[in-house]
Amino acid sequence: MNCFSACILFACAAIQPVAASTDVPLLREAVLNLSFLRVLIEDSVDRVIPQLLVGLSCSYEDQLGGPVFYEEVPEALFCTDSTGKVLKIYRVSADADRAFDVGHGDPVWITMAIQRPDPGAEWVRIRGFLMCAFADDLVELPPVVLPLSEKEATVELPLEKPRKDKVALTLKKSYELWKLQVEGRSDFYFNSFHVRDENGQALKGQGTLSSRGRKMRLWGRSYRVSSRSRSVRVVVSYWNKRMFRKVPVDMKIGLGGSAFPGC
């Protein structure tokens, strides 16, 4: 049971530069515009150390490119609670707020896993730098024609130079829909599918699928295609470049009261 109140107070502001683990430019006039905050205590039986989970959906002034996944080494962040206890930060990652059609200026979803505060703590304070990755140079791969067959169809597409890797594009039937998936390395920054039937009619995707492993990432959507069609034409677009920016942050999150041992 989570004994922290759902009533959360917060304050975010730029702070003076401190030592950062990576020599990366600041976003000019960097301001963390907080549009959503989620704080909960994860206390599952399969986790040895209960964690404070913080999720931030935010956008930045002077944002560059489209946000893409990046997991930072949390050395550039420092966290304490109201009792003065220094809290270990286990994980910090940033990603786009949505999986498909990510564009310039879109929100960034930041998550932090932090050591559980002292049972008597009323707030936690996070200071330092958040590191965000933004992608640019949108590339469209050559169109691929995939047959609509009961048998799964897969084709490998080489990425543009200087990259030497490929992505796998797969089409398979799923009940009355056709599921399209693309899988690439973890540093492949997918943007969108453009799908047309054999008559040139654009098809609208339904639902989204996105999964991430240590080395690979996968995206997928489903499409309804006329039973008279024998194939679809697919164009995959992706971001070809990545840049980093750091954002100074000084954030105090009120926990809405005390948490008691054993909760």
Side-chain angles (χ1 to χ4, degrees), residues 13-20 24-27 30 76 127-129 246-249:
I15 60 174
Q16 294 300 315
V18 297
V24 173
L26 286 168
L27 283 170
R127 291 172 287 169
F129 287 101
K246 58 188 178 185
V247 180
V249 59

Side-chain angles (χ1 to χ4, degrees), residues 146-166:
L146 296 174
L148 297 174
S149 169
E150 294 295 329
K151 185 178 179 180
E152 179 180 299
T154 300
V155 61
E156 289 190 334
L157 305 176
L159 301 181
E160 285 201 352
K161 295 181 179 179
R163 298 190 61 142
K164 298 179 181 180
D165 55 313
K166 301 177 181 180

